[in-house]
C-alpha cells in the first residue's frame, strides 16, 4: 500500500455475493464501506444487484443484467437464483486482472470460490475475509450436540466436506475480520493463527432501531421470535426459558 495517501487513495475491491435489499449482511457490508473515508480507499463494490440507493462514495458494480433488475421482474426471481445467475465471479476475476496489485485489497464476504481467492493472491493482492458468523466447524459441533441433546435426528446440512472446504478457504486469506469474540474463538479452533485475525465489531445504527417510549403504555406486552422454527435457532431452549 502506498504511504502517501494524499496522492490518491488505494483500492478496496469488495466481493459481496448477496443482493442488497436494505437488511441483513448486505446492509452491514454497505454500511461499513460507506463509513470508510474516501481519502483512504477508493471503494468498489461488486454484488449481484441492489434495489435501493447506495452512497456515491462507493463505486457499485451490479452483475445481474439490467433487464432482470426491473422491479416487477426481480420480484419474481427466487433469492437463490438471483445469487447464482449473476456473473459475479467472472466480473470480479476481471477486476483482479486489471487492478494495480500493489495498491489493492480484495475484501471478501460470503463464500467465494477458492479459485477466485487464489487468483487474487497469485496476482499479488492482499486478501481479507469478513466473517459474519462462526466457522462451519464450530457451528456443526454446536448443532450436532443440540440435536443429540434433544433426541432429534440431525436436520443440519453442514457436512465434514463443507467444514474442510471452509478451512481450505480461510487458509488463503492474509487477514480475517472476527466480528465478535465467539467468531474469534472459532477461527482459532479452525487453526487460524492469531496474527491473521483482526478483532472488530459491526456496531449498530440507532436510527434504524428507534423505540417509542410510550408504546408499553398503549398496548399489552408481546414477545416476538424472529427466525426459523428449528433447533438451529435455539427454539427448544427458548421455549424452555419461556416456560
Amino acid at each position: 500500500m502506498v504511504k502517501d495517501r494524499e496522492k490518491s487513495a488505494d483500492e478496496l475491491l469488495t466481493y459481496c455475493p448477496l443482493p442488497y435489499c436494505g437488511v441483513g449482511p448486505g446492509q452491514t457490508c454497505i454500511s461499513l464501506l460507506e463509513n470508510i473515508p474516501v481519502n483512504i480507499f477508493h471503494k468498489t463494490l461488486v454484488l449481484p444487484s441492489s434495489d435501493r440507493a447506495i452512497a456515491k462514495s462507493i463505486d457499485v458494480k451490479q452483475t445481474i443484467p439490467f433487464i432482470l433488475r426491473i422491479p416487477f421482474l426481480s420480484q419474481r426471481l427466487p433469492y437463490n437464483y438471483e445469487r447464482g445467475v449473476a456473473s459475479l465471479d467472472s466480473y470480479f476475476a476481471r477486476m483482479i486482472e486489471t487492478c494495480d496489485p500493489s495498491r489493492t485489497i480484495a475484501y471478501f464476504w460470503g463464500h467465494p470460490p477458492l479459485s477466485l481467492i487464489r487468483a487474487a493472491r497469485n496476482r499479488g493482492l492482499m486478501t481479507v475475509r469478513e466473517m459474519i458468523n462462526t466457522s462451519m466447524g464450530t457451528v456443526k459441533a454446536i448443532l450436532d450436540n443440540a440435536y443429540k441433546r434433544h433426541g432429534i435426528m440431525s436436520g443440519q446440512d453442514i457436512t465434514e466436506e463443507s467444514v474442510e472446504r471452509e478451512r481450505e478457504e480461510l487458509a488463503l486469506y492474509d487477514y480475517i475480520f472476527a466480528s465478535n469474540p465467539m467468531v474469534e474463538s472459532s477461527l482459532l479452533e479452525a487453526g487460524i493463527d492469531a496474527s491473521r485475525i483482526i478483532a472488530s465489531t459491526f456496531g449498530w445504527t440507532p436510527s434504524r432501531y428507534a423505540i417509542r417510549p410510550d408504546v408499553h403504555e398503549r398496548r399489552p406486552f408481546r414477545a416476538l421470535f424472529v427466525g426459523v422454527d428449528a433447533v438451529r435457532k435455539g427454539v427448544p431452549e427458548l421455549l424452555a426459558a419461556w416456560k
Side-chain angles (χ1 to χ4, degrees), residues 148-243:
K148 183 178 180 180
R149 185 168 63 252
H150 294 294
I152 304 173
M153 182 178 295
S154 179
Q156 66 152 310
D157 57 0
I158 300 177
T159 63
E160 291 293 346
E161 290 74 18
S162 61
V163 170
E164 184 55 37
R165 189 269 178 202
E166 187 184 61
R167 286 180 185 272
E168 186 178 358
E169 176 197 339
L170 295 177
L172 294 174
Y173 297 111
D174 291 302
Y175 298 100
I176 303 172
F177 283 113
S179 57
N180 59 63
M182 190 170 182
V183 170
E184 188 172 357
S185 296
S186 79
L187 289 172
L188 293 172
E189 291 172 4
I192 305 301
D193 191 275
S195 65
R196 294 171 50 219
I197 301 172
I198 301 175
S200 65
T201 177
F202 289 149
W204 70 299
T205 306
S207 61
R208 289 176 60 86
Y209 302 95
I211 300 175
R212 292 182 55 183
D214 62 331
V215 166
H216 70 282
E217 299 174 358
R218 297 186 289 105
R219 63 188 187 193
F221 170 76
R222 290 183 175 87
L224 173 67
F225 169 75
V226 181
V228 178
D229 181 11
V231 171
R232 181 182 178 88
K233 294 300 182 180
V235 171
E237 286 77 13
L238 175 65
L239 293 176
W242 187 259
K243 183 178 180 179

Side-chain angles (χ1 to χ4, degrees), residues 68-98:
L68 295 180
R69 287 189 264 123
I70 298 174
F72 77 91
L73 287 176
S74 62
Q75 288 173 5
R76 289 164 173 74
L77 287 175
Y79 179 70
N80 287 335
Y81 175 77
E82 186 175 18
R83 290 182 61 187
V85 73
S87 56
L88 179 69
D89 297 340
S90 59
Y91 192 101
F92 201 81
R94 290 195 299 272
M95 298 203 72
I96 288 173
E97 288 301 315
T98 57

Side-chain angles (χ1 to χ4, degrees), residues 95-102 117-125:
M95 298 203 72
I96 288 173
E97 288 301 315
T98 57
C99 72
D100 179 350
S102 67
I117 312 167
R118 291 192 180 109
R121 288 182 63 85
N122 292 339
R123 178 96 169 111
L125 280 68

Side-chain angles (χ1 to χ4, degrees), residues 110-131:
H111 294 279
L114 298 179
S115 59
L116 203 58
I117 312 167
R118 291 192 180 109
R121 288 182 63 85
N122 292 339
R123 178 96 169 111
L125 280 68
M126 180 183 290
T127 56
V128 180
R129 168 74 138 82
E130 185 72 58
M131 291 292 286

Side-chain angles (χ1 to χ4, degrees), residues 132-153:
I132 61 175
N133 208 334
T134 55
S135 67
M136 285 190 179
T138 299
V139 175
K140 186 178 189 306
I142 292 172
L143 290 178
D144 284 344
N145 289 334
Y147 279 106
K148 183 178 180 180
R149 185 168 63 252
H150 294 294
I152 304 173
M153 182 178 295

